[in-house]
Amino acid sequence: MSKMRNKAIEILKANWRDGYTVPSKNLYPYQWKWDSGFIAIGLAHFDQKMAEREVETLLNAQWINGFIPHIVFHKVSDTYFPGPNFHRADLHPLANKEYPSTGMTQPPVLGFTLERMHEIAKDKKESLQFIKNNIDRVYKNHQYFYNNRDPKDEGLVYIYHNWESGTDNSPLWDPIFETIDAPVYNFERRDTSIIDPSERPTKREYDYYLHIIDIAKEHNYNDAKIAEFSPFLVQDPLFNSMLIKSNSALISLYKMIGGNEDKIEQLEQWQEKSITSFNRKLYDKDLGAYIHYDLRNDKPIRMVSSSSFSPLYAGIPNKDQAEALVRTMMDKFGGEDMYLCASFDPSTDKFNPKKYWRGPVWINLNWMLYHGLLDYGFNDLAQRVKSDSIEILEKVGFYEYFDPRKSIYKGDVKGYGGSDFSWSAALFLDLTEN
Ligand code: GLC
């Protein structure tokens, strides 16, 4: 184990770029929002200062309206498409002038990241000071979401692009793309020259991705216009769970700091409204799972993915719902021949064990699942998620995503996507801490 831990630390040090960490050297040469949170948790295990700088750098890229972008393009790189010149976040009048970025976001990880970093920190006094200096910027980000991403005032925020979900090419989005008339773009992708195309999204899927961005650009990334015109508008249980988890973390941290009663009260109000709506709108009793809601076409997306179980991490389900989730997980994902937890329902024909978010196991989702199951007292299953994660990483190394079928782990098998992937290394450090 200590050999693996040393290797994980080595990867994180190698992917460090003086203030932030790239997710994977060639494939992802910038700073990504939710990666940054998970990475900071890993960094905190061996270097508190590095972890704090990671978070601070991301926060420095925040916009005037509280928005935090999904990618911060710190340096120009020709190994990634689409770059800053395609995204043109500067079209938004409140965009950050100093840090070129995308005009979309990613799941709100920073609240629970700060809380976890503080638990890990050896120097609690310094850590508390760091939190005091930065927490208001995270609060402002939550305020941005509730004020701008919730047009029906439900306490559930929307995402307007599949890249905002973090689960880029999940089959969840297929029915939405069918409603969109995207042009055929002419462009050169970089990911498929680095990674086997069978493990990546297709060219046609990229046309949709680019088209949705072009529509947002036509409206200068104005939130109200996006809510009105974006062909992709979804309430995502994973995204909202992370927001809710981060709300609770902010409440605890503000209480620890003292004062800030107005912010605590506001967070509690958001929290109550969000959790009530979440259970009313995103819980599908017949499936025994949480699902996504297509706000643009006003209909539920009745499919089960690893995101369906993420509300456990945020304390959203009641006891009966939690038990139903576990039953669904075991029925569909938990066979003895499978590692937990596939990213998409293995009992359907959309499942593809090799392709990105259409089936492979991802360590960050497993990390959330592990903590959620523990919180609800499903200790044995939590231990299985943890030992499955460790076993896969030990077998093939710190890849980006992994085949859930146990039978293929023979001989010279590898993981999929980028190697030396930062959050796999970071969350391994957190899962195996002493
Ligand atoms: C891929 C993943 C996304 C992640 C990014 C950087 O796009 O789907 O979740 O943030 O890579 O690692």
Side-chain angles (χ1 to χ4, degrees):
M1 192 67 83
S2 73
K3 218 171 130 202
M4 283 284 285
R5 286 183 67 86
N6 289 340
K7 175 71 186 160
I9 293 173
E10 213 180 275
I11 289 173
L12 290 171
K13 285 186 174 163
N15 289 346
W16 175 255
R17 298 286 178 275
D18 194 24
Y20 68 97
T21 307
V22 297
S24 172
K25 201 168 71 187
N26 295 323
L27 193 57
Y28 306 120
Y30 305 110
Q31 184 178 27
W32 263 256
K33 182 184 177 192
W34 78 328
D35 296 63
S36 224
F38 296 125
I39 290 166
I41 290 171
L43 296 176
H45 283 282
F46 64 96
D47 191 328
Q48 190 172 327
K49 277 277 169 220
M50 258 168 108
E52 291 172 356
R53 280 194 65 200
E54 176 82 40
V55 170
E56 220 162 24
T57 304
L58 182 66
L59 285 170
N60 289 344
Q62 185 168 40
W63 294 9
I64 294 164
N65 60 353
F67 175 91
I68 299 175
H70 115 282
I71 305 176
V72 187
F73 298 111
H74 291 285
K75 280 189 196 140
V76 183
S77 164
D78 57 11
T79 65
Y80 187 84
F81 175 86
N85 297 338
F86 185 86
H87 283 281
R88 294 287 320 272
D90 56 303
L91 291 169
H92 194 292
L94 300 178
N96 191 311
K97 299 260 182 298
E98 224 176 303
Y99 293 88
S101 74
T102 60
M104 65 177 83
T105 188
Q106 255 189 337
V109 287
L110 288 177
F112 67 78
T113 294
L114 285 182
E115 191 177 34
R116 184 72 190 123
M117 276 168 57
H118 187 64
E119 280 163 16
I120 300 165
K122 294 219 168 53
D123 185 345
K124 297 284 185 216
K125 203 169 146 220
E126 203 274 334
S127 161
L128 198 63
Q129 190 55 48
F130 174 76
I131 290 170
K132 273 189 194 161
N133 294 344
N134 290 286
I135 189 170
D136 285 348
R137 297 200 277 179
V138 182
Y139 176 84
K140 205 173 162 202
N141 185 232
H142 288 218
Q143 206 168 33
Y144 159 80
F145 281 122
Y146 285 110
N147 291 345
N148 298 288
R149 294 277 188 121
D150 184 14
K152 294 187 178 167
D153 197 19
E154 297 173 285
L156 296 173
V157 306
Y158 69 71
I159 54 173
Y160 82 83
H161 196 289
N162 51 298
W163 278 338
E164 292 202 312
S165 70
T167 60
D168 303 5
N169 70 333
S170 173
L172 292 160
W173 321 129
D174 295 357
I176 301 180
F177 294 147
E178 277 167 24
T179 68
I180 303 176
D181 189 15
V184 172
Y185 283 81
N186 199 347
F187 62 94
E188 195 192 334
R189 260 167 84 179
R190 307 297 155 89
D191 61 330
T192 40
S193 59
I194 305 172
I195 305 294
D196 181 344
S198 72
E199 297 166 22
R200 308 297 295 178
T202 62
K203 158 77 175 58
R204 187 63 187 143
E205 280 169 314
Y206 257 76
D207 288 338
Y208 293 115
Y209 304 170
L210 300 180
H211 181 56
I212 302 168
I213 297 173
D214 269 340
I215 292 173
K217 275 164 35 185
E218 265 169 38
H219 299 292
N220 297 332
Y221 290 108
N222 176 292
D223 291 298
K225 295 275 188 215
I226 287 174
E228 206 178 333
F229 297 112
S230 176
F232 185 111
L233 211 68
V234 170
Q235 288 164 324
D236 177 346
L238 174 62
F239 196 102
N240 279 279
S241 289
M242 294 174 95
L243 181 61
I244 289 169
K245 180 71 179 180
S246 282
N247 280 338
S248 328
L250 291 183
I251 293 171
S252 310
L253 294 173
Y254 272 127
K255 285 187 176 160
M256 201 156 70
I257 296 172
N260 296 291
E261 276 80 14
D262 51 334
K263 292 185 191 120
I264 294 175
E265 200 179 308
Q266 176 63 77
L267 284 158
E268 282 169 346
Q269 277 173 22
W270 285 330
Q271 202 63 337
E272 208 196 301
K273 189 167 179 175
S274 296
I275 293 175
T276 308
S277 291
F278 202 114
N279 279 318
R280 180 181 49 74
K281 193 168 183 186
L282 304 183
Y283 184 66
D284 188 314
K285 201 157 181 245
D286 294 336
L287 287 173
Y290 289 92
I291 54 164
H292 293 65
Y293 192 87
D294 177 350
L295 209 53
R296 171 58 61 238
N297 301 297
D298 207 9
K299 60 176 182 211
I301 305 172
R302 302 194 64 240
M303 299 184 202
V304 185
S305 64
S306 52
S307 304
S308 300
F309 310 119
S310 60
L312 289 166
Y313 178 58
I316 294 165
N318 63 27
K319 198 164 164 291
D320 289 346
Q321 288 168 320
E323 279 167 4
L325 290 181
V326 165
R327 273 198 303 276
T328 305
M329 191 191 308
M330 291 315 286
D331 282 356
K332 293 182 185 292
F333 297 68
E336 272 176 20
D337 52 341
M338 296 286 277
Y339 284 117
L340 284 171
C341 178
S343 45
F344 193 75
D345 187 347
S347 70
T348 63
D349 56 7
K350 292 264 186 188
F351 171 72
N352 178 337
K354 293 171 77 157
K355 215 176 184 56
Y356 219 32
W357 290 96
R358 301 179 81 87
V361 172
W362 288 76
I363 297 301
N364 62 336
L365 264 291
N366 271 15
W367 178 87
M368 276 184 266
L369 193 54
Y370 166 69
H371 286 288
L373 290 166
L374 271 191
D375 290 345
Y376 278 84
F378 297 107
N379 296 341
D380 292 349
L381 191 52
Q383 290 314 323
R384 175 169 162 198
V385 172
K386 176 172 165 175
S387 59
D388 280 5
S389 309
I390 294 172
E391 199 174 308
I392 300 182
L393 292 170
E394 279 176 345
K395 283 201 157 131
V396 300
F398 296 99
Y399 275 86
E400 186 182 3
Y401 43 102
F402 309 88
D403 204 304
R405 297 168 301 173
K406 288 187 179 170
S407 59
I408 71 129
Y409 287 84
K410 290 184 211 111
D412 188 24
V413 60
K414 293 195 170 62
Y416 300 137
S419 56
D420 292 353
F421 190 67
S422 297
W423 85 38
S424 299
L427 296 177
F428 174 82
L429 289 177
D430 197 51
L431 282 172
T432 59
E433 67 161 355
N434 298 314

